[in-house]
Amino acid sequence: MKIVTANDLKSGAVIWWTGVGWSLDVNEAADVGDDGAKVIAREEGAQNAVSAYVIDAEKDEQGVRPAHIKERIRAFGPTVRLDLTVKPADANAVNWVI
Amino acid sequence: MYKYDEYDQQMVDTRVAEFRDQVRRRLAGELTEDQFKPLRLQNGLYLQLHAYMLRVAVPYGTMNSAQMKVLGDIADKYDRGYGHFTTRTNIQYNWIKLEDTPDALADLAKVEMHAIQTSGNCIRNISSDQYAGASADEVVDPRPYAELLRQWSSFHPEFLVLPRKFKIAVIASEIDRAAMRLHDIGINLVRNEAGEVGAEFYVGGGMGRTPFVAKKIKDFVPIDQMVTYAEACVRVYNRYGRRDNKYKARIKILVHELGLEAYSKEVDAEFAHLLSQPIEPPLAELERIQAMFFDPAFETGLSDELDLSDPDFRLWVERNTYAHKAPGYVIANVSLKPIGGIPGDATSDQIRLMADLAKDYSFDELRVTHAQNIVFPHVKKSDLYALWQKLEKADLSTPNLDTVGDIIACPGLDYCSLANARSIPVAQKISERFGSAERQAEIGELKLKISGCINACGHHHAGHIGILGVDKKGKENYQLLLGGSEGADTSLAKITGPGFDEDGVVDATEKAIDVYLANKQGDERFLDTYRRIGMAPFKEAIYG
């Protein structure tokens, strides 16, 4: 699947396009197929999201997993501070990233 | 230390107000991201992997307690309770919100700090020797000269848009503690036979994709012409440096391609021209600045004896302190590299504690080092044990300075949008593998440096052992390098061979160290043994 990621203008937080808006949770990311460029043009024009781009990802029973480690770190947080990950209580969060 | 005058303060306050309005306009949609990006970068605000990152300048690494305390407070007020000290002697916050940034900058301005020119193709934060004004081996205190260069370079109208970023280091000792020869311009302050202070200039050093050791261009520039000569060096670079290819845009490439002689000739011509122009600040200005870098009121008649009966304290003293110029005093280093920790990170509580301890034990002064540690420059020996005990309670007393555990590591792929591989987990694993104090003592001085991409923010080219993380078909891969150095004997490390995965590079590091231990003669450091026996025995052990 192809998903769109960006940073929230005000907070800088990593966000994911859900099809109708932006979410902090990668698992809510929508498959944009070939429409990524259109989404980015519209959303960056709206001035709420910055540095948007399309990435490859896979979806299975555990959720949406970006294909590249860089994007997984963006999605789940730094691998060296479990307290700063998106799922701080989940000891397996880092394994999911790597 | 330097104290802002009303003009300095007004400049910084005005800049905060200007940026506050720019942020307001961006949030209101009056500025596009393309319009806003150069404005935020000029104020040290990047967009990194997870959020905005604010890089705060610490000129020549020197701070007082009030400044350090504010760095801790900012970590709590606007970030996630910690900060990361960097190889440019700055501090970075990784989770800053755009809407909070003007307030953070206003807090900094109240203690004479800012984030101006910590990004962009300008002259960046000037770095210097972290022991300046305290060590016995310096010719003069280099910080007033670094401050003069800071004032010259900040807001310099010609040098705000150079072909690429530009880094200057100023030292005044034969013992180079600032990696001076790995800077775009390195200045070593020396005395001539008449006893006059002058500047020995080096140009064209740097790491990154194409590393070079800086070449000496001038033995002695009279001190009342130092700024003019620096101006000539940067002007020639600004004129001829390549703007068509960012990978060839640094001054090191210009000096390499033109040749030192041709570049030097251009600089001499420009220097001669500039000497006819009134650009050099009057010596009185240097003297005004120098007057702010006076020695603290050192007590006299102090004993040089230390009670070393506590073995842990003794180990720390042996490893983490350095001789002071004043009898009865010592320079104390705080390692921000606990075993298994994140190099350069400190919590807000640790930052505030170090601020308080500097006030109580070091004449209100601290330094940030390019090795991502903190220095208390002037500690009375009779206070050292009490200082150490307080550091120990806060996990700030790791006795590993300049050993295999004192690793420089860039933030890597865990934080940086440019990185290709993680640096911190590799540093943590090596730190844990060699965590034993006995093992570290057996190995002795060994500088290990890790970068997560070819930009070399972790200085891997200058590591006795260097590690470079690269992306290999979507997976992290680590190249091992040997033989780099950053001091007076600066050299560039060489790649051993094919790369490794994360655990593999830790094992390869251990094999390299085992080769050193099996071959060392007398007091040889890892680097000395490597230079004597060459790469071959290391390669054989690492690759079989």
Side-chain angles (χ1 to χ4, degrees):
Chain A
M1 68 188 289
K2 294 203 177 290
I3 61 178
V4 176
T5 182
N7 292 83
D8 177 66
L9 171 66
K10 281 186 189 174
S11 67
V14 176
I15 49 177
W16 308 89
W17 178 247
T18 66
V20 291
W22 293 96
S23 170
L24 294 169
D25 185 352
V26 67
N27 291 311
E28 294 182 4
D31 186 349
V32 295
D34 296 328
D35 291 337
K38 271 189 234 167
V39 172
I40 290 168
R42 188 182 64 234
E43 288 300 310
E44 288 197 332
Q47 303 288 329
N48 293 320
V50 291
S51 298
Y53 55 98
V54 178
I55 62 167
D56 290 321
E58 289 171 8
K59 187 171 189 174
D60 61 20
E61 64 280 2
Q62 291 190 69
V64 176
R65 179 178 161 89
H68 195 278
I69 184 172
K70 184 172 194 167
E71 301 307 333
R72 293 199 292 277
I73 291 173
R74 281 187 84 242
F76 301 116
T79 65
V80 291
R81 289 281 306 260
L82 282 178
D83 57 317
L84 299 181
T85 60
V86 173
K87 295 178 179 175
D90 182 356
N92 285 320
V94 170
N95 297 333
W96 180 237
V97 170
I98 300 165
Chain B
M1 59 188 291
Y2 183 71
K3 179 94 189 112
Y4 279 14
D5 63 19
E6 61 183 296
Y7 302 107
D8 295 320
Q9 191 65 53
Q10 195 173 359
M11 265 194 286
V12 172
D13 289 342
T14 303
R15 182 64 169 258
V16 173
E18 180 186 62
F19 189 56
R20 189 181 293 282
D21 190 52
Q22 289 164 346
V23 169
R24 182 196 63 73
R25 289 158 64 203
R26 174 70 184 114
L27 293 174
E30 295 166 18
L31 291 174
T32 65
E33 185 61 17
D34 285 346
Q35 291 166 330
F36 181 64
K37 186 177 175 183
L39 303 175
R40 68 169 159 77
L41 289 175
Q42 283 164 12
N43 290 281
L45 192 66
Y46 290 72
L47 190 55
Q48 283 289 12
L49 207 57
H50 304 291
Y52 292 101
M53 180 270 278
L54 180 67
R55 180 180 292 154
V56 177
V58 184
Y60 34 90
T62 295
M63 281 183 293
N64 61 27
S65 301
Q67 291 172 322
M68 186 74 159
K69 182 176 177 303
V70 164
L71 296 185
D73 292 344
I74 284 175
D76 278 340
K77 273 172 84 177
Y78 308 111
D79 206 89
R80 298 192 176 185
Y82 73 105
H84 176 73
F85 291 96
T86 78
T87 55
R88 191 103 217 110
T89 74
N90 295 316
I91 185 170
Q92 294 177 177
Y93 300 100
N94 289 309
W95 307 88
I96 291 281
K97 294 181 173 64
L98 176 60
E99 54 192 349
D100 288 342
T101 309
D103 289 339
L105 293 176
D107 287 358
L108 288 167
K110 283 178 192 154
V111 289
E112 303 180 359
M113 296 187 86
H114 60 73
I116 297 163
Q117 290 180 216
T118 56
S119 174
N121 294 334
C122 56
I123 298 175
R124 301 285 187 91
N125 187 44
I126 311 279
S127 60
S128 187
D129 184 339
Q130 68 267 17
Y131 298 162
S135 71
D137 52 50
E138 69 186 11
V139 172
V140 288
D141 185 341
R143 290 172 302 161
Y145 304 86
E147 173 60 28
L148 188 67
L149 288 163
R150 184 188 76 81
Q151 294 190 17
W152 157 75
S153 60
S154 299
F155 306 115
H156 193 302
E158 269 184 53
F159 303 150
L160 290 177
V161 191
L162 290 166
R164 280 286 278 144
K165 59 186 170 182
F166 201 91
K167 298 176 179 180
I168 299 176
V170 187
I171 64 168
S173 168
E174 285 300 310
I175 305 168
D176 175 9
R177 287 175 282 260
M180 181 271 287
R181 288 170 184 81
L182 292 167
H183 281 73
D184 295 291
I185 287 180
I187 296 175
N188 184 21
L189 299 165
V190 294
R191 283 190 194 278
N192 64 11
E193 287 177 358
E196 296 157 334
V197 175
E200 186 181 65
F201 267 79
Y202 292 77
V203 293
M207 290 180 264
R209 180 183 292 254
T210 315
F212 281 105
V213 176
K215 298 166 179 71
K216 194 202 280 191
I217 184 171
K218 215 68 167 173
D219 285 327
F220 191 88
V221 175
I223 208 63
D224 59 351
Q225 297 176 357
M226 178 187 73
V227 170
T228 305
Y229 194 78
E231 175 111 2
C233 288
V234 187
R235 267 195 159 191
V236 172
Y237 165 59
N238 203 18
R239 189 180 307 150
Y240 296 116
R242 288 183 62 170
R243 287 182 155 86
D244 63 323
N245 182 339
K246 76 178 279 195
Y247 303 116
K248 295 186 174 180
R250 298 289 290 265
I251 191 174
K252 60 191 175 186
I253 304 295
L254 176 69
V255 173
H256 177 68
E257 290 189 349
L258 266 183
L260 182 65
E261 199 179 330
Y263 171 77
S264 176
K265 213 170 159 185
E266 291 277 352
V267 171
D268 283 346
E270 188 61 38
F271 184 47
H273 165 68
L274 287 171
L275 285 175
S276 69
Q277 312 288 314
I279 77 126
E280 183 78 32
L283 266 181
E285 178 59 10
L286 176 62
E287 286 161 5
R288 181 186 77 84
I289 294 169
Q290 276 173 323
M292 298 181 198
F293 289 89
F294 54 85
D295 274 352
F298 297 127
E299 290 177 38
T300 54
L302 295 178
S303 166
D304 262 324
E305 293 301 310
L306 263 177
D307 178 357
L308 298 173
S309 52
D310 182 330
D312 291 336
F313 175 60
R314 182 193 184 98
L315 186 64
W316 181 77
V317 170
E318 285 172 355
R319 200 68 247 173
N320 285 34
T321 64
Y322 192 84
H324 196 280
K325 66 181 181 183
Y329 287 86
V330 71
I331 300 167
N333 288 274
V334 176
S335 166
L336 296 183
K337 324 284 175 63
I339 296 169
I342 297 177
D345 273 14
T347 66
S348 53
D349 285 341
Q350 287 177 321
I351 293 171
R352 281 187 291 260
L353 174 73
M354 289 187 278
D356 289 342
L357 294 176
K359 197 164 198 173
D360 293 343
Y361 296 110
S362 189
F363 292 97
D364 204 30
E365 258 194 55
L366 305 109
R367 313 282 170 76
V368 185
T369 82
H370 88 272
Q372 302 177 278
N373 293 319
I374 299 293
V375 171
F376 294 103
H378 315 291
V379 182
K380 221 189 311 183
K381 282 186 177 173
S382 57
D383 286 338
L384 199 57
Y385 190 66
L387 170 65
W388 172 77
Q389 285 178 308
K390 288 173 183 171
L391 289 172
E392 193 174 49
K393 278 187 193 151
D395 199 18
L396 290 168
S397 66
T398 313
N400 63 357
L401 199 78
D402 293 339
T403 71
V404 63
D406 184 15
I407 299 167
I408 289 179
C410 71
L413 194 50
D414 276 302
Y415 290 99
C416 176
S417 57
L418 297 176
N420 295 316
R422 291 169 302 148
S423 302
I424 296 167
V426 178
Q428 289 174 310
K429 284 185 176 175
I430 292 173
S431 162
E432 282 163 357
R433 178 80 61 98
F434 296 97
S436 131
E438 293 75 20
R439 188 86 198 276
Q440 291 191 5
E442 182 190 15
I443 297 166
E445 182 185 308
L446 199 168
K447 298 193 178 180
L448 202 148
K449 302 170 195 257
I450 306 173
S451 301
C453 79
I454 55 170
N455 291 310
C457 295
H459 293 188
H460 65 276
H461 296 295
H464 298 181
I465 296 177
I467 294 173
L468 167 64
V470 297
D471 182 309
K472 197 172 178 185
K473 295 179 183 168
K475 287 196 184 297
E476 296 163 299
N477 188 267
Y478 297 92
Q479 295 176 350
L480 189 71
L481 299 90
L482 302 177
S485 178
E486 66 197 354
D489 59 352
T490 298
S491 59
L492 299 172
K494 291 188 171 65
I495 296 174
T496 55
F500 306 89
D501 64 15
E502 188 179 306
D503 289 324
V505 80
V506 178
D507 292 340
T509 298
E510 185 162 32
K511 285 176 186 169
I513 290 172
D514 286 343
V515 170
Y516 155 64
L517 291 173
N519 287 276
K520 82 181 268 197
Q521 292 179 353
D523 292 335
E524 273 185 341
R525 302 169 300 164
F526 178 94
L527 184 65
D528 303 324
T529 302
Y530 168 83
R531 285 176 174 169
R532 179 171 54 77
I533 68 176
M535 178 70 92
F538 292 94
K539 275 184 94 156
E540 196 181 321
I542 293 166
Y543 296 102

